[in-house]
Amino acid sequence: MRVKVRFFALYRDRAGTSQVEVDLPEGATPKELVARLRNLFPSLSIDSSAFVAVNSEYADREVPLLEGDEVVFIPPVSGGQT
């Protein structure tokens, strides 16, 4: 199956693109997608603190993906002044 992946902020910079389509086995999860993305983009370091959304809804990393899903990885926000 094929899913569309979108990157924001730091992840977009490290991947060198804002989106990519990735082929995965049926029933793959966002967790498995992260492993595939690490092979495609070695400088991309999506860790457990990243937010994951599937089809515009925040999702767990273990939810099965479906053909045509759009997966978004959003790095955690930190910093700022107090």
Side-chain angles (χ1 to χ4, degrees):
M1 76 176 166
R2 183 170 279 228
V3 297
K4 181 178 181 180
V5 180
R6 295 183 64 203
F7 302 110
F8 289 95
L10 175 66
Y11 297 149
R12 180 184 57 230
D13 295 341
R14 289 189 177 169
T17 186
S18 61
Q19 63 186 20
V20 66
E21 290 190 3
V22 178
D23 290 317
L24 295 168
E26 291 293 324
T29 65
K31 183 177 179 180
E32 293 167 294
L33 175 57
V34 167
R36 178 70 55 92
L37 291 171
R38 285 183 181 143
N39 289 331
L40 294 172
F41 304 102
S43 63
L44 185 64
S45 57
I46 299 173
D47 62 20
S48 61
S49 64
F51 294 101
V52 179
V54 178
N55 300 323
S56 301
E57 301 265 334
Y58 285 110
D60 185 272
R61 289 177 180 249
E62 299 297 331
V63 66
L65 298 171
L66 302 172
E67 173 74 32
D69 278 351
E70 179 181 73
V71 182
V72 178
F73 291 100
I74 306 163
V77 178
S78 65
Q81 296 179 324
T82 56

Coordinates of all heavy atoms in Angstrom, one line a residue:
M1 N 0.8 -1.2 0.0 CA 0.0 0.0 0.0 C 0.9 1.2 0.0 O 2.0 1.2 0.4 CB -0.9 0.0 1.2 CG -0.3 0.3 2.5 SD -1.4 0.4 3.9 CE -0.2 0.4 5.2
R2 N 0.3 2.3 -0.4 CA 1.1 3.6 -0.5 C 0.4 4.6 0.4 O -0.8 4.8 0.4 CB 1.1 4.1 -1.9 CG 1.9 5.3 -2.1 CD 2.1 5.6 -3.6 NE 3.2 4.8 -4.0 CZ 4.2 5.2 -4.8 NH1 4.2 6.4 -5.2 NH2 5.1 4.4 -5.1
V3 N 1.2 5.3 1.2 CA 0.7 6.4 2.1 C 1.5 7.7 1.7 O 2.7 7.6 1.3 CB 0.9 6.1 3.6 CG1 0.0 4.9 3.9 CG2 2.3 5.9 4.0
K4 N 0.9 8.8 2.0 CA 1.5 10.1 1.8 C 2.0 10.6 3.1 O 1.3 10.5 4.1 CB 0.5 11.1 1.2 CG 1.1 12.4 0.9 CD 0.0 13.3 0.3 CE 0.5 14.7 0.0 NZ -0.6 15.5 -0.6
V5 N 3.2 11.0 3.2 CA 3.8 11.5 4.4 C 4.2 13.0 4.2 O 4.7 13.4 3.2 CB 5.1 10.8 4.7 CG1 5.7 11.3 6.0 CG2 4.9 9.3 4.8
R6 N 3.8 13.8 5.2 CA 4.1 15.2 5.2 C 5.0 15.5 6.4 O 4.8 15.0 7.5 CB 2.8 16.0 5.3 CG 2.0 15.8 4.0 CD 0.7 16.7 4.0 NE 1.1 18.1 3.9 CZ 0.3 19.0 4.4 NH1 -0.9 18.8 4.8 NH2 0.7 20.3 4.3
F7 N 5.9 16.4 6.2 CA 6.9 16.8 7.2 C 6.7 18.3 7.5 O 6.5 19.1 6.5 CB 8.3 16.6 6.7 CG 8.6 15.2 6.4 CD1 8.9 14.8 5.1 CD2 8.7 14.2 7.3 CE1 9.2 13.5 4.7 CE2 9.0 12.9 7.0 CZ 9.3 12.5 5.7
F8 N 6.9 18.7 8.7 CA 6.8 20.1 9.1 C 8.1 20.5 9.9 O 8.8 19.6 10.5 CB 5.6 20.3 10.0 CG 4.3 20.3 9.2 CD1 3.6 19.1 9.2 CD2 3.9 21.4 8.5 CE1 2.4 19.0 8.5 CE2 2.7 21.3 7.8 CZ 2.0 20.1 7.8
A9 N 8.4 21.8 9.8 CA 9.5 22.4 10.6 C 10.8 21.6 10.4 O 11.3 21.4 9.3 CB 9.1 22.5 12.0
L10 N 11.4 21.2 11.5 CA 12.7 20.6 11.6 C 12.7 19.3 10.7 O 13.7 19.1 10.0 CB 13.1 20.2 13.0 CG 14.4 19.4 13.2 CD1 15.6 20.3 12.8 CD2 14.5 19.0 14.7
Y11 N 11.6 18.6 10.7 CA 11.6 17.3 9.9 C 11.6 17.6 8.4 O 12.3 16.9 7.7 CB 10.4 16.5 10.3 CG 10.3 16.0 11.7 CD1 9.1 15.8 12.3 CD2 11.5 15.7 12.4 CE1 9.1 15.4 13.6 CE2 11.5 15.3 13.7 CZ 10.3 15.1 14.3 OH 10.2 14.7 15.6
R12 N 11.0 18.7 8.0 CA 11.0 19.1 6.6 C 12.4 19.5 6.2 O 12.9 19.1 5.1 CB 10.0 20.3 6.4 CG 10.0 20.7 4.9 CD 9.1 21.9 4.7 NE 9.6 23.0 5.6 CZ 8.8 23.7 6.4 NH1 7.5 23.5 6.4 NH2 9.3 24.7 7.1
D13 N 13.1 20.2 7.1 CA 14.5 20.6 6.8 C 15.4 19.4 6.7 O 16.2 19.4 5.7 CB 15.0 21.6 7.9 CG 14.2 22.9 7.9 OD1 13.5 23.2 6.9 OD2 14.3 23.6 8.9
R14 N 15.3 18.5 7.6 CA 16.2 17.3 7.6 C 15.9 16.4 6.4 O 16.8 15.7 5.9 CB 16.1 16.6 8.9 CG 16.7 17.4 10.0 CD 16.9 16.6 11.2 NE 17.6 17.4 12.2 CZ 17.7 17.1 13.5 NH1 17.1 16.0 13.9 NH2 18.3 17.9 14.3
A15 N 14.6 16.2 6.0 CA 14.3 15.4 4.9 C 14.5 16.0 3.6 O 14.7 15.3 2.6 CB 12.8 14.9 5.0
G16 N 14.6 17.3 3.6 CA 14.8 18.1 2.3 C 13.6 18.1 1.4 O 13.7 18.4 0.3
T17 N 12.4 17.8 2.0 CA 11.2 17.8 1.3 C 10.0 18.0 2.2 O 10.2 17.7 3.4 CB 11.0 16.6 0.4 OG1 9.8 16.7 -0.4 CG2 10.9 15.3 1.3
S18 N 8.9 18.5 1.7 CA 7.8 18.6 2.6 C 6.8 17.4 2.6 O 6.0 17.3 3.5 CB 7.0 19.9 2.3 OG 6.5 19.8 1.0
Q19 N 7.0 16.6 1.6 CA 6.1 15.4 1.5 C 6.8 14.4 0.6 O 7.6 14.6 -0.3 CB 4.7 15.8 1.0 CG 4.7 16.3 -0.4 CD 3.3 16.7 -0.8 OE1 2.5 17.0 0.1 NE2 3.0 16.8 -2.1
V20 N 6.4 13.1 0.8 CA 6.8 12.0 0.1 C 5.8 10.9 0.1 O 5.0 10.8 1.1 CB 8.2 11.5 0.7 CG1 8.0 10.9 2.1 CG2 8.9 10.5 -0.2
E21 N 5.8 10.0 -0.9 CA 4.9 8.9 -0.8 C 5.8 7.7 -0.5 O 6.9 7.5 -1.1 CB 4.1 8.7 -2.1 CG 3.1 9.8 -2.3 CD 2.2 9.5 -3.5 OE1 2.3 8.5 -4.1 OE2 1.3 10.4 -3.7
V22 N 5.3 6.8 0.3 CA 6.0 5.6 0.8 C 5.2 4.4 0.6 O 4.0 4.3 1.0 CB 6.4 5.8 2.3 CG1 7.2 4.6 2.7 CG2 7.3 7.0 2.4
D23 N 5.8 3.3 0.1 CA 5.2 2.0 0.0 C 5.4 1.2 1.2 O 6.6 1.1 1.7 CB 5.7 1.2 -1.2 CG 5.2 1.9 -2.6 OD1 4.1 2.2 -2.7 OD2 6.1 2.0 -3.5
L24 N 4.4 0.6 1.8 CA 4.5 -0.1 3.0 C 3.6 -1.4 2.9 O 2.7 -1.5 2.0 CB 3.9 0.6 4.2 CG 4.6 1.9 4.6 CD1 3.7 2.7 5.6 CD2 5.9 1.6 5.3
P25 N 3.9 -2.4 3.6 CA 3.1 -3.6 3.6 C 1.7 -3.3 4.2 O 1.6 -2.4 5.0 CB 3.8 -4.7 4.5 CG 4.8 -3.9 5.2 CD 5.1 -2.6 4.5
E26 N 0.7 -4.0 3.8 CA -0.7 -3.9 4.3 C -0.6 -4.0 5.8 O 0.0 -4.8 6.4 CB -1.6 -4.9 3.8 CG -1.9 -4.8 2.3 CD -2.7 -3.5 1.9 OE1 -3.6 -3.1 2.7 OE2 -2.4 -3.0 0.9
G27 N -1.4 -3.1 6.5 CA -1.5 -3.1 7.9 C -0.3 -2.5 8.7 O -0.3 -2.6 9.9
A28 N 0.6 -1.9 8.0 CA 1.8 -1.2 8.6 C 1.3 -0.1 9.5 O 0.2 0.4 9.3 CB 2.8 -0.7 7.6
T29 N 2.0 0.3 10.5 CA 1.7 1.3 11.5 C 2.6 2.5 11.3 O 3.7 2.4 10.7 CB 1.9 0.7 12.9 OG1 3.2 0.5 13.1 CG2 1.0 -0.5 13.1
P30 N 2.3 3.6 11.9 CA 3.2 4.8 11.9 C 4.5 4.4 12.5 O 5.6 4.9 12.0 CB 2.4 5.8 12.7 CG 1.0 5.5 12.5 CD 1.0 4.0 12.5
K31 N 4.6 3.6 13.5 CA 5.9 3.1 14.0 C 6.7 2.5 13.0 O 7.9 2.7 12.8 CB 5.6 2.2 15.2 CG 6.9 1.7 15.9 CD 6.5 0.9 17.1 CE 7.7 0.4 17.8 NZ 7.4 -0.5 19.0
E32 N 6.1 1.6 12.2 CA 6.9 0.9 11.1 C 7.2 1.9 10.0 O 8.3 1.8 9.4 CB 6.0 -0.2 10.5 CG 5.8 -1.3 11.5 CD 4.8 -2.3 11.0 OE1 3.6 -1.9 11.0 OE2 5.2 -3.5 10.8
L33 N 6.4 2.9 9.8 CA 6.6 4.0 8.8 C 7.9 4.8 9.2 O 8.7 5.1 8.4 CB 5.4 4.9 8.6 CG 5.6 6.1 7.7 CD1 6.0 5.7 6.3 CD2 4.3 6.9 7.7
V34 N 8.0 5.1 10.5 CA 9.2 5.8 11.0 C 10.5 5.0 10.6 O 11.4 5.6 10.2 CB 9.1 6.1 12.5 CG1 10.4 6.5 13.1 CG2 8.0 7.1 12.8
A35 N 10.4 3.7 10.8 CA 11.6 2.9 10.5 C 12.0 3.0 9.0 O 13.1 3.1 8.6 CB 11.4 1.4 10.9
R36 N 10.9 3.0 8.2 CA 11.2 3.1 6.7 C 11.7 4.5 6.4 O 12.6 4.6 5.6 CB 9.9 2.8 6.0 CG 9.9 3.0 4.5 CD 10.7 1.9 3.8 NE 10.3 0.5 4.1 CZ 9.4 -0.2 3.4 NH1 8.8 0.3 2.4 NH2 9.1 -1.4 3.8
L37 N 11.2 5.5 7.0 CA 11.7 6.8 6.8 C 13.1 7.0 7.2 O 13.9 7.8 6.5 CB 10.8 7.9 7.5 CG 9.3 8.0 6.9 CD1 8.5 8.8 7.8 CD2 9.4 8.5 5.5
R38 N 13.5 6.4 8.2 CA 14.9 6.5 8.7 C 15.9 5.9 7.6 O 17.0 6.4 7.5 CB 15.1 5.8 10.0 CG 14.6 6.6 11.2 CD 14.8 5.9 12.5 NE 14.2 6.6 13.6 CZ 13.7 6.1 14.6 NH1 13.6 4.8 14.8 NH2 13.2 6.9 15.6
N39 N 15.4 4.9 6.9 CA 16.2 4.4 5.8 C 16.3 5.3 4.6 O 17.3 5.4 4.0 CB 15.7 3.0 5.4 CG 16.0 1.9 6.4 OD1 16.9 2.0 7.1 ND2 15.1 0.9 6.5
L40 N 15.1 5.9 4.3 CA 15.1 6.9 3.2 C 15.8 8.2 3.5 O 16.4 8.8 2.6 CB 13.6 7.2 2.8 CG 12.8 6.0 2.3 CD1 11.3 6.4 2.2 CD2 13.3 5.6 1.0
F41 N 15.7 8.6 4.7 CA 16.3 9.9 5.1 C 17.1 9.8 6.3 O 16.6 10.0 7.5 CB 15.2 11.0 5.4 CG 14.2 11.1 4.2 CD1 13.0 10.5 4.2 CD2 14.6 11.9 3.1 CE1 12.1 10.7 3.2 CE2 13.7 12.1 2.1 CZ 12.5 11.5 2.1
P42 N 18.4 9.4 6.2 CA 19.2 9.1 7.4 C 19.4 10.2 8.4 O 19.5 10.0 9.6 CB 20.6 8.7 6.8 CG 20.3 8.2 5.4 CD 19.1 9.1 5.0
S43 N 19.3 11.5 7.9 CA 19.4 12.6 8.8 C 18.1 12.9 9.5 O 18.1 13.8 10.4 CB 19.9 13.8 8.1 OG 19.0 14.2 7.1
L44 N 17.0 12.2 9.2 CA 15.7 12.5 9.8 C 15.6 11.7 11.1 O 15.8 10.4 11.1 CB 14.6 12.0 8.8 CG 13.2 12.3 9.3 CD1 12.9 13.8 9.4 CD2 12.3 11.7 8.2
S45 N 15.4 12.3 12.2 CA 15.4 11.6 13.5 C 14.0 11.9 14.1 O 13.9 12.8 15.0 CB 16.5 12.1 14.4 OG 16.5 13.5 14.6
I46 N 13.0 11.1 13.7 CA 11.7 11.2 14.3 C 11.7 10.3 15.6 O 11.8 9.1 15.5 CB 10.6 10.7 13.4 CG1 10.6 11.6 12.1 CG2 9.3 10.7 14.0 CD1 9.7 11.2 11.0
D47 N 11.6 10.9 16.7 CA 11.6 10.1 18.0 C 10.2 10.0 18.6 O 9.3 10.5 18.0 CB 12.7 10.6 19.0 CG 12.4 12.1 19.4 OD1 11.2 12.5 19.3 OD2 13.3 12.7 19.9
S48 N 10.2 9.4 19.8 CA 8.9 9.2 20.4 C 8.2 10.5 20.9 O 7.0 10.4 21.2 CB 9.0 8.2 21.6 OG 9.9 8.8 22.5
S49 N 8.9 11.6 20.9 CA 8.2 12.8 21.3 C 7.5 13.5 20.2 O 6.8 14.5 20.4 CB 9.3 13.8 21.9 OG 10.2 14.2 21.0
A50 N 7.7 13.0 18.9 CA 7.0 13.6 17.8 C 5.5 13.3 17.8 O 5.1 12.3 18.3 CB 7.6 13.1 16.5
F51 N 4.7 14.3 17.3 CA 3.3 14.1 17.2 C 3.0 13.4 15.9 O 3.7 13.7 14.9 CB 2.5 15.4 17.3 CG 2.7 16.1 18.6 CD1 3.5 17.1 18.8 CD2 1.9 15.6 19.7 CE1 3.6 17.7 20.1 CE2 2.0 16.2 20.9 CZ 2.9 17.3 21.1
V52 N 2.1 12.5 15.8 CA 1.7 11.8 14.6 C 0.2 12.1 14.4 O -0.6 12.0 15.3 CB 1.9 10.3 14.7 CG1 1.4 9.6 13.5 CG2 3.3 10.0 15.0
A53 N -0.1 12.4 13.1 CA -1.5 12.6 12.8 C -1.8 11.8 11.5 O -0.9 11.7 10.6 CB -1.9 14.1 12.5
V54 N -2.9 11.1 11.5 CA -3.3 10.3 10.3 C -4.6 10.9 9.8 O -5.6 10.9 10.6 CB -3.5 8.8 10.7 CG1 -3.9 8.0 9.4 CG2 -2.1 8.2 11.2
N55 N -4.6 11.3 8.6 CA -5.8 12.0 8.0 C -6.4 13.1 8.9 O -7.5 13.1 9.2 CB -6.9 10.9 7.7 CG -6.3 9.9 6.7 OD1 -5.6 10.2 5.8 ND2 -6.7 8.6 6.9
S56 N -5.5 13.9 9.3 CA -5.8 15.1 10.1 C -6.3 14.9 11.5 O -6.8 15.8 12.2 CB -6.8 16.0 9.4 OG -6.3 16.4 8.1
E57 N -6.1 13.7 12.0 CA -6.5 13.3 13.4 C -5.2 12.8 14.1 O -4.5 11.9 13.6 CB -7.5 12.2 13.4 CG -8.8 12.6 12.7 CD -9.8 13.1 13.6 OE1 -9.8 12.8 14.8 OE2 -10.7 13.9 13.1
Y58 N -5.0 13.3 15.3 CA -3.8 12.8 16.1 C -4.0 11.3 16.3 O -5.2 10.8 16.5 CB -3.7 13.5 17.5 CG -3.1 14.8 17.3 CD1 -3.9 16.0 17.6 CD2 -1.8 15.0 17.0 CE1 -3.3 17.2 17.4 CE2 -1.2 16.3 16.8 CZ -2.0 17.4 17.1 OH -1.4 18.6 16.9
A59 N -2.9 10.5 16.2 CA -3.1 9.1 16.2 C -2.0 8.4 17.0 O -0.9 9.0 17.2 CB -3.0 8.5 14.8
D60 N -2.2 7.2 17.5 CA -1.3 6.4 18.2 C -0.3 5.8 17.1 O -0.7 5.6 16.0 CB -2.0 5.3 18.9 CG -1.1 4.5 19.8 OD1 -0.5 3.5 19.2 OD2 -0.9 4.8 20.9
R61 N 0.9 5.5 17.5 CA 1.9 4.9 16.6 C 1.6 3.5 16.2 O 2.3 2.9 15.4 CB 3.3 5.0 17.2 CG 3.8 6.5 17.2 CD 5.1 6.6 17.9 NE 5.6 7.9 17.8 CZ 6.6 8.4 17.1 NH1 7.2 7.6 16.4 NH2 6.9 9.7 17.1
E62 N 0.6 2.9 16.9 CA 0.3 1.5 16.6 C -1.0 1.3 15.8 O -1.3 0.1 15.5 CB 0.2 0.7 17.9 CG 1.4 0.7 18.8 CD 2.6 0.0 18.1 OE1 2.4 -0.9 17.3 OE2 3.7 0.4 18.4
V63 N -1.6 2.4 15.4 CA -2.8 2.3 14.6 C -2.5 1.8 13.2 O -1.5 2.2 12.6 CB -3.6 3.6 14.5 CG1 -2.8 4.7 13.8 CG2 -4.9 3.4 13.9
P64 N -3.2 0.8 12.6 CA -2.9 0.3 11.3 C -3.2 1.4 10.2 O -4.3 2.1 10.3 CB -3.8 -0.9 11.1 CG -4.3 -1.3 12.5 CD -4.2 0.0 13.3
L65 N -2.3 1.5 9.3 CA -2.5 2.5 8.2 C -3.3 1.8 7.1 O -3.2 0.6 6.9 CB -1.2 3.0 7.7 CG -0.4 3.8 8.8 CD1 1.0 4.1 8.2 CD2 -1.1 5.1 9.1
L66 N -3.9 2.6 6.3 CA -4.7 2.1 5.1 C -4.1 2.8 3.8 O -3.6 3.9 3.9 CB -6.2 2.4 5.3 CG -6.9 1.9 6.5 CD1 -8.3 2.4 6.6 CD2 -6.8 0.3 6.4
E67 N -4.4 2.2 2.7 CA -4.0 2.7 1.4 C -4.5 4.1 1.3 O -5.7 4.4 1.6 CB -4.6 1.9 0.3 CG -4.4 2.4 -1.1 CD -3.0 2.3 -1.6 OE1 -2.3 1.3 -1.3 OE2 -2.6 3.1 -2.4
G68 N -3.6 5.0 0.9 CA -4.0 6.4 0.6 C -4.0 7.3 1.9 O -4.3 8.5 1.7
D69 N -3.7 6.8 3.1 CA -3.7 7.6 4.2 C -2.6 8.7 4.1 O -1.6 8.5 3.5 CB -3.4 6.8 5.5 CG -4.6 6.1 6.1 OD1 -5.7 6.3 5.6 OD2 -4.4 5.3 7.0
E70 N -2.9 9.8 4.8 CA -1.9 10.9 4.9 C -1.4 10.9 6.3 O -2.2 11.1 7.2 CB -2.5 12.3 4.5 CG -1.5 13.4 4.6 CD -2.1 14.7 4.3 OE1 -2.8 15.2 5.1 OE2 -1.8 15.2 3.2
V71 N -0.1 10.8 6.5 CA 0.5 10.7 7.8 C 1.4 12.0 7.9 O 2.2 12.3 7.0 CB 1.4 9.5 8.0 CG1 2.0 9.4 9.4 CG2 0.6 8.2 7.7
V72 N 1.2 12.7 9.0 CA 2.0 13.9 9.3 C 2.8 13.7 10.5 O 2.3 13.2 11.6 CB 1.0 15.1 9.5 CG1 1.8 16.4 9.8 CG2 0.2 15.3 8.2
F73 N 4.0 14.1 10.5 CA 4.9 14.1 11.6 C 5.2 15.5 12.0 O 5.7 16.3 11.2 CB 6.2 13.3 11.3 CG 6.0 11.8 11.2 CD1 5.9 11.3 9.9 CD2 5.8 11.0 12.3 CE1 5.7 9.9 9.7 CE2 5.6 9.7 12.1 CZ 5.5 9.1 10.8
I74 N 5.0 15.9 13.3 CA 5.2 17.2 13.8 C 6.1 17.2 14.9 O 5.9 16.5 15.9 CB 3.8 17.8 14.2 CG1 2.8 17.7 13.1 CG2 4.0 19.3 14.7 CD1 1.4 17.9 13.5
P75 N 7.3 17.8 14.8 CA 8.2 17.8 15.9 C 7.6 18.5 17.2 O 6.8 19.4 17.0 CB 9.4 18.5 15.4 CG 9.0 19.3 14.2 CD 7.7 18.7 13.7
P76 N 8.1 18.1 18.3 CA 7.6 18.8 19.5 C 8.1 20.2 19.5 O 9.1 20.6 19.0 CB 8.2 18.0 20.7 CG 9.4 17.3 20.1 CD 9.1 17.1 18.6
V77 N 7.3 21.1 20.1 CA 7.6 22.5 20.2 C 8.2 22.8 21.6 O 7.7 22.3 22.6 CB 6.3 23.4 20.0 CG1 6.6 24.9 20.1 CG2 5.7 23.1 18.7
S78 N 9.3 23.5 21.6 CA 9.9 23.8 22.8 C 10.6 25.2 22.7 O 10.7 25.8 21.6 CB 11.0 22.8 23.2 OG 12.0 22.8 22.3
G79 N 11.0 25.7 23.8 CA 11.7 27.0 23.8 C 10.8 28.1 24.1 O 9.7 27.9 24.6
G80 N 11.2 29.3 23.7 CA 10.4 30.5 24.0 C 10.9 31.1 25.3 O 11.8 30.6 26.0
Q81 N 10.4 32.3 25.5 CA 10.8 33.0 26.7 C 9.8 33.0 27.8 O 8.6 32.9 27.5 CB 11.1 34.5 26.4 CG 12.3 34.6 25.4 CD 12.5 36.0 25.0 OE1 11.6 36.8 24.9 NE2 13.8 36.4 24.8
T82 N 10.2 33.0 29.0 CA 9.2 33.0 30.1 C 9.2 34.3 30.8 O 10.0 35.2 30.6 CB 9.7 32.0 31.2 OG1 11.0 32.2 31.6 CG2 9.5 30.6 30.6

